[in-house]
Amino acid sequence: MGKESALCTIFVDGKNIGRVSDGAAFATEIRANRRKGLLSGEINVAFIKELNEVHINADKGRVRKPYIVVENGKSKLDDQLMEKVRSKEIDFNYLVRRGIIEYLDAEEEENIYAAMRENEINSKTTHLEVDPAIMFGVTVNGSVFPEFNSVGKHPLAWQLMKQAQALPVMNFSNRFGARSFLLHYPQAPLIDSVTYRAANLSKHANGQNLIVAVTTYHGYNMSDAVVVNRASIERGIGRSSFFKTYADEERRYPGGQQDRFTIPSPTVEGYEGEQAYTKLGEDGIVEEEMEVNEGDIVIGKVSPPRFLEEQTAFGAGIDKSRDNSVKLKAGESGVVDNVMVTETSGATKIVKVVVRSEMFPEHGDKMGSRHAQKGVIGSIIPQEEMPFTSSGIVPDLLLNPMGLPNRMTAGHILEMLGAKATCVNGIIGDGTPFARKGNDLIKEYGDVLERSGYDRYGNEMLYDGRTGRRLKSEIFIGPVYYFRLSQMTKLKLQVRSRGPVQILTRQPTEGKPRSGGIRFEEMQRDALVGHGASILLKDRMLDQSDKDSVWICRECGDTGYMDRVKNVPVCPMCGGTSKLESVEISYAFKLLLDELKSMHILARINLKSD
Amino acid sequence: MIVMAKRSNSGKVQYGEPVGVVTAQSLGERSTQMVLRTFHQAGVSSEVISAGLPRLIEIVDARKRAKHALMTIRFDKGIAKDYERVKEIKQKLEEVSINTLINGFDENLKNGTMLLHFDKDAMSAHSITLRKVMEILSSRFPDIEVSNEGNEVTIRYKKRKDVRGVRTAFVHVRDEIVSGVEGIQKAVINSEGETFYIAVSGSNLKGVMDIEGVRPENIYTNDIFEVLSVFGIEAARNAIANEIAYVFDIEKASMNFKHIALLADTMTYSGTIKSVGRHGVAGDKESVFARAAYEETIKHFVNAGFFSETDRLRGVAENIIIGRQITVGTGKVKLMIKNEELERFKPEDGEKE
Ligand SMILES: [Zn+2]
């Protein structure tokens, strides 16, 4: 083939536009022009040696990352420019415009040789990282000392931070989100990072600095559980509000009928009695600051009858409208926080009612730190029974030491040490990724602590609050930034002994809002079969579920019915009345028999007398 | 003797014990721990054997073509220690195609000729002579003419044919197997102390058995269907059990062999290998309800209607569906009352019932 393949192919946004003889030089020229400002800074060019192709990209959707340009072994961002940056004479965008900092996409990054730090620059270096921490995004930089944690823990830590209750917005009292949380006493962390400060995240803090002692407490904090000081909860640790919005609209139906927000009149179908509507105002909507509990109606609504014929059959005089009010579901309660009445663009009236409830930390609520150290509250202990230090400090939270070694979250320990030093010298610690070396940090924090009379590794003598005796070993104690996570007992706790059943199958309903039971599925069934526990299995599958009795004809095996007038069972197939037996089966099986009949299959049941 | 009897009796299962469910639970619990992994077996260089969950699924699904068939050929004492004899047998095993014997080829499709450059070293490694190759080619392909000049063999297609036809014919020539057992891709000699054995990828029991010096009882293959066709169902049952046990063994998952044996028996008791699933064991259940509850509900009900099937309600699933006590465990036993005996317990006059 020869000649032709020696030419380098040029692609612009993936489209072949021509060829040049020297691709590398061509790419370099484009780059030089871009740095001069002759070409847009949004253009990226990559020379792919293996294919002998130049890819020029200017389309949308590329992820790009800034780099400092290095020329002749020297960073273009020299001391002179840095001085100007410090004095705020020039800003980041100025440097980008001047080609000192440039944004590169994934393809162009293949062509560069970047140094992580300035002292690592050599003759081959083409670019310098702005900062090692830039390899992470905003969320990731929200965690401190991530470089000391096991790599697999990072995604879990960020997942956790997303679930933290916080002060997300300042106008929370005007918002009507479906579900939201509000932390009452948010605190800025004692250790933060450069990005945390830059994004001003402390204005929307999502945690609190708790004094944590790494010790056990009579087994109440085993396997990731934590023990919390009751007095700390009373002082406001983890206290939050939960907002839930109930919404409804006046829907329009064909035939000119529509829903009405009102207090339903006693003639309406499904009327629940005068008592049920006492919390509603004249307009059929609950009053603000009204206390509401499960089953209470917050929006009164009357809907037109489901079938038009109903109305015509009985004449216009009879009101066959239905009560279609919005109720609080099982386990829900609170105080009405806010009510909004407005219209959609289609001129449909809509109502939104926000119910607020205060959530105190309780057993089973989830807590977590910025290092994927999460656990539920195993016990809430009175302050008097918690261990205390010689200076009288009582920890807010007791963390089990067994949770630390195998998870390899050294950042958690470093945060405790650093935060303790912060408490002593009053300077907010810096936990920016890759900013400092671990040994330097330990030394620095240790020196601060030692100067103030603390142990340089953060250990202290603790005394048992119940006996007053000194604990045998020294305990590592220090502040950690802890989150209260959105999983809470109050929103999940559910029990059922009797309750509603599904209409179709007559089996118990499922799920918390319908006060349902816990499913007894195939695997659970197999467990009982495996044990040979036949009567327990029958109890679960039949007696406590959809037990029903049907009349079965001895003659033809078909199902019969009870003639209530003559009080005799009748078989519609053979017309007899004497040869029917009452048989206990599951209602689902009866349903199956009926559905089989609809498929023109008659399942005959041969009864056998015992 | 008493101890033995005791041990034996303690090993028996109770009447009504649902052994199938316990087996399913035991196997299921172990296999959830298994990771999708393939192992490199030592010896068979670069040959991957499937193990772990994929292999287990392969066995219980009764797949006709196992992904990685393997054979192990051992020898009697006389041969086992003789490396040269073993090597000789090994050379008879491996499939050798023309492709492996040539350095390259030039084909002229227009003229219908192909020049094969034979590799002398490759030929001597497989102990094959050029003359023999040419004999095989001319005897198996009547349409071609074979001639040679040193190691260059020219193949001429006698009939006029279109280019594509010539091309396919030449591909067939290059793929032609000139020595070895069909289906055996690779053979490697391994040693076990002083004795040697051959590990083979690919499986062909009959072909290997025909080779002189190999005795049938010394061959092991992991191809269950081949065991079935050569040795019969009893052997296939053992092959299934051994292969499943091997899977759990390399995963270091301990498992009572009785469970595996029960599974193997269930798969083979009918005389053919049935897979565990819709088309096999589960599809052959007696009860209509049990089959319909598993898969293809409507099909089973419609067929039951057509052929007026009777469900005797003897299994577990069907009794749960209709809401009766299941027929295993405590539901297996029934209380029988002799009415005539009951007479004796009738209340005396004046005594309250
Ligand atoms: Zn009848």
Side-chain angles (χ1 to χ4, degrees):
Chain A
M1 307 216 243
K3 258 187 194 174
E4 218 177 330
S5 61
L7 285 172
C8 171
T9 322
I10 316 284
F11 290 91
V12 174
D13 288 348
K15 214 167 148 188
N16 185 346
I17 58 148
R19 290 160 207 271
V20 292
S21 53
D22 188 350
F26 180 73
T28 315
E29 197 182 331
I30 289 180
R31 262 174 225 147
N33 285 334
R34 183 181 64 197
R35 283 173 198 169
K36 273 185 221 156
L38 296 172
L39 287 169
S40 165
E42 290 187 6
I43 289 172
N44 284 115
V45 56
F47 172 63
I48 295 145
K49 207 175 167 186
E50 293 75 28
L51 303 170
N52 198 19
E53 284 174 2
V54 171
H55 291 189
I56 301 167
N57 289 311
D59 52 343
K60 58 188 173 184
R62 288 168 295 139
V63 180
R64 308 198 311 153
K65 182 181 157 189
Y67 282 94
I68 299 167
V69 178
V70 173
E71 264 171 15
N72 307 321
K74 259 191 190 159
S75 164
K76 281 183 92 178
L77 184 66
D78 52 18
D79 296 343
Q80 227 178 323
L81 280 165
M82 269 314 288
E83 200 47 55
K84 281 186 182 172
V85 173
R86 282 202 191 92
S87 63
K88 305 224 162 135
E89 204 177 308
I90 55 173
D91 62 0
F92 195 82
N93 288 333
Y94 174 90
L95 296 171
V96 175
R97 278 199 303 278
R98 287 299 159 101
I100 290 154
I101 289 176
E102 59 185 9
Y103 282 91
L104 304 183
D105 69 357
E107 255 190 307
E108 188 165 349
E109 274 182 344
E110 296 294 321
N111 282 176
I112 69 166
Y113 184 63
M116 189 63 89
R117 292 194 166 82
E118 195 152 9
N119 56 16
E120 290 168 7
I121 293 175
N122 59 33
S123 58
K124 279 192 246 162
T125 311
T126 61
H127 288 80
L128 172 66
E129 292 273 359
V130 176
D131 188 283
I134 210 167
M135 70 175 81
F136 304 128
V138 177
T139 329
V140 183
N141 274 305
S143 58
V144 293
F145 301 127
E147 73 269 36
F148 298 102
N149 289 339
S150 163
V151 89
K153 283 281 148 192
H154 294 148
L156 303 174
W158 312 324
Q159 207 78 31
L160 221 66
M161 279 187 266
K162 285 193 289 182
Q163 296 170 19
Q165 297 178 24
L167 178 66
V169 288
M170 296 298 176
N171 67 341
F172 52 85
S173 55
N174 296 326
R175 293 178 78 98
F176 292 86
R179 276 158 64 98
S180 64
F181 297 97
L182 180 76
L183 189 66
H184 285 189
Y185 305 107
Q187 292 176 349
L190 293 174
I191 305 270
D192 61 11
S193 64
V194 170
T195 23
Y196 194 91
R197 266 166 271 151
N200 218 351
L201 288 174
S202 60
K203 288 274 177 212
H204 297 286
N206 56 357
Q208 290 160 324
N209 296 293
L210 307 190
I211 307 294
V212 174
V214 184
T215 179
T216 55
Y217 192 89
H218 302 281
Y220 286 108
N221 61 359
M222 63 187 212
S223 61
D224 280 353
V226 291
V227 168
V228 182
N229 186 342
R230 169 163 290 146
S232 305
I233 291 173
E234 284 161 3
R235 284 184 217 112
I237 273 183
R239 188 175 301 181
S240 65
S241 284
F242 170 59
F243 296 95
K244 189 172 180 190
T245 303
Y246 299 84
D248 209 352
E249 61 177 319
E250 284 190 344
R251 204 165 284 127
R252 286 165 204 279
Y253 298 93
Q257 292 182 307
Q258 72 170 88
D259 297 337
R260 284 270 171 248
F261 289 131
T262 176
I263 301 176
S265 67
T267 53
V268 164
E269 200 184 314
Y271 184 71
E272 294 198 20
E274 210 180 322
Q275 195 62 36
Y277 306 97
T278 47
K279 285 175 181 172
L280 303 183
E282 279 170 28
D283 53 358
I285 302 160
V286 73
E287 299 285 339
E288 280 183 16
E289 294 307 317
M290 183 73 81
E291 211 173 287
V292 284
N293 287 306
E294 76 171 63
D296 281 355
I297 289 163
V298 285
I299 303 170
K301 193 174 89 166
V302 174
S303 297
R306 242 181 270 256
F307 306 106
L308 274 174
E309 297 91 279
E310 269 181 81
Q311 210 173 30
T312 49
F314 292 98
I318 299 161
D319 184 6
K320 280 297 239 175
S321 303
R322 294 173 291 133
D323 180 358
N324 204 4
S325 304
V326 177
K327 273 192 248 177
L328 257 66
K329 294 202 171 119
E332 294 175 346
S333 67
V335 176
V336 177
D337 189 63
N338 208 348
V339 174
M340 178 179 71
V341 182
T342 183
E343 273 182 355
T344 63
S345 53
T348 310
K349 195 174 170 189
I350 57 169
V351 172
K352 289 195 174 186
V353 175
V354 180
V355 174
R356 136 175 62 88
S357 52
E358 208 164 349
M359 311 294 261
F360 298 94
E362 56 177 328
H363 293 101
D365 285 7
K366 209 169 169 188
M367 308 272 287
S369 76
R370 286 179 286 184
H371 308 273
Q373 284 291 346
K374 56 170 193 277
V376 292
I377 297 174
S379 189
I380 298 167
I381 303 291
Q383 173 151 338
E384 309 82 71
E385 294 182 10
M386 293 284 280
F388 56 89
T389 68
S390 52
S391 56
I393 290 174
V394 186
D396 299 308
L397 191 138
L398 302 180
L399 183 73
N400 196 321
M402 302 308 283
L404 292 167
N406 58 343
R407 308 246 161 76
M408 297 185 280
T409 52
H412 193 275
I413 299 166
L414 204 54
E415 188 193 336
M416 281 175 80
L417 197 66
K420 201 167 177 179
T422 299
C423 292
V424 170
N425 67 4
I427 301 162
I428 295 290
D430 184 20
T432 309
F434 300 106
R436 306 282 302 279
K437 278 191 179 131
N439 284 339
D440 297 350
L441 286 168
I442 292 168
K443 192 175 177 303
E444 187 193 309
Y445 296 147
D447 289 346
V448 171
L449 289 173
E450 213 159 50
R451 245 180 281 136
S452 310
Y454 285 98
D455 175 59
R456 65 177 299 121
Y457 296 113
N459 296 335
E460 278 182 53
M461 278 297 174
L462 257 63
Y463 297 85
D464 189 333
R466 312 218 285 191
T467 60
R469 282 207 195 99
R470 210 186 73 193
L471 297 181
K472 271 181 190 151
S473 65
E474 288 186 313
I475 305 292
F476 185 51
I477 180 168
V480 186
Y481 197 59
Y482 252 86
F483 307 125
R484 180 152 186 237
L485 304 168
S486 57
Q487 283 94 318
M488 285 178 288
T489 310
K490 201 177 167 187
L491 302 180
K492 292 196 169 157
L493 184 75
Q494 173 209 0
V495 282
R496 167 188 170 129
S497 54
R498 275 175 286 177
V501 290
Q502 288 164 17
I503 300 165
L504 182 71
T505 60
R506 297 200 189 168
Q507 286 169 358
T509 51
E510 211 191 334
K512 197 198 166 199
R514 288 182 292 266
S515 64
I518 306 293
R519 249 186 111 81
F520 193 83
E521 266 166 287
E522 242 183 297
M523 298 269 274
Q524 286 76 358
R525 186 204 77 173
D526 287 343
L528 291 193
V529 174
H531 279 92
S534 67
I535 293 168
L536 178 57
L537 184 68
K538 184 170 159 276
D539 177 76
R540 289 288 94 202
M541 305 297 289
L542 187 78
D543 302 339
Q544 305 293 324
S545 181
D546 57 348
K547 189 161 134 176
D548 195 29
S549 77
V550 291
W551 293 98
I552 307 275
C553 179
R554 274 193 170 282
E555 204 103 296
C556 63
D558 196 8
T559 49
Y561 62 90
M562 187 71 177
D563 188 333
R564 290 287 171 201
V565 179
K566 293 174 189 154
N567 213 21
V568 279
V570 181
C571 173
M573 284 279 279
C574 35
T577 54
S578 57
K579 283 157 189 160
L580 282 95
E581 300 276 348
S582 174
V583 177
E584 254 173 30
I585 56 166
S586 77
Y587 188 79
F589 179 58
K590 193 218 155 233
L591 193 70
L592 175 71
L593 293 178
D594 290 344
E595 286 194 11
L596 284 178
K597 274 177 203 161
S598 77
M599 291 166 65
H600 285 208
I601 297 170
L602 177 65
R604 293 178 194 274
I605 298 168
N606 297 325
L607 296 176
K608 196 174 81 183
S609 55
D610 285 323
Chain B
M1 196 60 207
I2 295 165
V3 175
M4 276 172 72
K6 242 184 175 174
R7 290 269 164 91
S8 166
N9 283 328
S10 71
K12 281 181 186 165
V13 290
Q14 296 280 317
Y15 178 67
E17 176 92 18
V19 282
V21 174
V22 177
T23 292
Q25 286 177 341
S26 307
L27 289 161
E29 198 268 338
R30 291 297 183 209
S31 36
T32 48
Q33 295 174 8
M34 284 201 253
V35 221
L36 282 160
R37 267 193 292 183
T38 45
F39 285 88
H40 289 264
Q41 198 192 32
V44 185
S45 54
S46 80
E47 261 315 316
V48 200
I49 65 148
S50 58
L53 204 55
R55 174 66 180 149
L56 188 65
I57 292 167
E58 204 172 81
I59 300 166
V60 296
D61 276 0
R63 302 243 173 94
K64 279 271 158 54
R65 286 202 62 78
K67 233 179 186 171
H68 304 283
L70 288 173
M71 288 176 85
T72 313
I73 302 159
R74 285 167 207 282
F75 302 97
D76 287 342
K77 270 177 196 157
I79 305 171
K81 288 181 184 171
D82 186 350
Y83 184 78
E84 290 305 316
R85 282 284 310 270
V86 174
K87 199 179 165 190
E88 208 175 281
I89 292 166
K90 181 212 151 185
Q91 273 168 353
K92 284 184 194 160
L93 287 169
E94 258 180 319
E95 241 178 29
V96 178
S97 68
I98 300 282
N99 261 327
T100 53
L101 295 176
I102 55 173
N103 269 332
F105 62 91
D106 289 302
E107 47 185 11
N108 190 331
L109 300 177
K110 225 182 197 171
N111 300 339
T113 59
M114 175 163 69
L115 194 62
L116 296 169
H117 311 291
F118 275 89
D119 186 347
K120 236 181 180 172
D121 298 333
M123 303 234 299
S124 61
H126 291 106
S127 48
I128 276 180
T129 57
L130 194 62
R131 174 173 295 180
K132 203 178 167 202
V133 171
M134 286 169 68
E135 262 171 33
I136 290 169
L137 283 181
S138 45
S139 68
R140 289 193 196 162
F141 295 91
D143 289 352
I144 60 169
E145 241 172 46
V146 187
S147 60
N148 80 310
E149 234 174 82
N151 282 324
E152 314 281 291
V153 174
T154 311
I155 306 228
R156 180 179 295 281
Y157 205 72
K158 284 186 212 159
K159 285 186 202 149
R160 276 252 159 250
K161 233 186 178 181
D162 60 298
V163 171
R164 183 178 290 180
V166 175
R167 207 183 125 78
T168 359
F170 283 165
V171 171
H172 283 312
V173 168
R174 291 201 300 274
D175 286 343
E176 186 60 28
I177 287 149
V178 286
S179 91
V181 179
E182 196 192 330
I184 305 259
Q185 289 112 33
K186 196 157 190 177
V188 175
I189 301 173
N190 288 330
S191 63
E192 222 168 41
E194 281 186 8
T195 60
F196 297 99
Y197 68 95
I198 302 176
V200 169
S201 81
S203 186
N204 186 345
L205 269 180
K206 276 183 192 158
V208 173
M209 263 152 52
D210 287 346
I211 290 171
E212 207 191 316
V214 180
R215 282 153 57 92
E217 58 264 40
N218 289 338
I219 316 172
Y220 184 80
T221 177
N222 67 356
D223 189 331
I224 288 152
F225 278 90
E226 200 158 60
V227 174
L228 174 69
S229 66
V230 177
F231 294 118
I233 193 72
E234 292 283 340
R237 179 261 181 200
N238 281 332
I240 291 172
N242 288 336
E243 282 299 310
I244 294 174
Y246 177 66
V247 169
F248 285 110
D249 199 44
I250 47 176
E251 292 280 345
K252 302 269 184 301
S254 64
M255 164 85 54
N256 193 317
F257 187 76
K258 289 279 172 193
H259 294 313
I260 299 166
L262 181 67
L263 177 65
D265 284 338
T266 315
M267 286 174 71
T268 52
Y269 75 93
S270 64
T272 53
I273 296 175
K274 282 198 290 191
S275 67
V276 179
R278 180 159 38 137
H279 302 293
V281 176
D284 288 350
K285 275 187 191 171
E286 182 196 340
S287 165
V288 182
F289 288 121
R291 267 181 282 134
Y294 184 62
E295 261 171 6
E296 298 177 304
T297 310
I298 293 169
K299 187 186 121 186
H300 283 119
F301 277 131
V302 169
N303 282 342
F306 274 142
F307 301 110
S308 165
E309 280 183 50
T310 306
D311 195 324
R312 311 207 66 85
L313 304 177
R314 289 198 285 213
V316 172
E318 53 267 37
N319 277 309
I320 289 172
I321 289 168
I322 69 157
R324 262 172 33 137
Q325 248 189 63
I326 52 166
T327 51
V328 295
T330 51
K332 187 94 185 165
V333 287
K334 285 217 175 69
L335 195 61
M336 307 285 256
I337 296 173
K338 280 186 184 165
N339 278 321
E340 52 273 25
E341 289 286 306
L342 212 60
E343 295 288 315
R344 293 203 295 144
F345 296 102
K346 268 209 162 163
E348 302 281 319
D349 289 336
E351 206 180 319
K352 276 194 174 171
E353 241 178 274

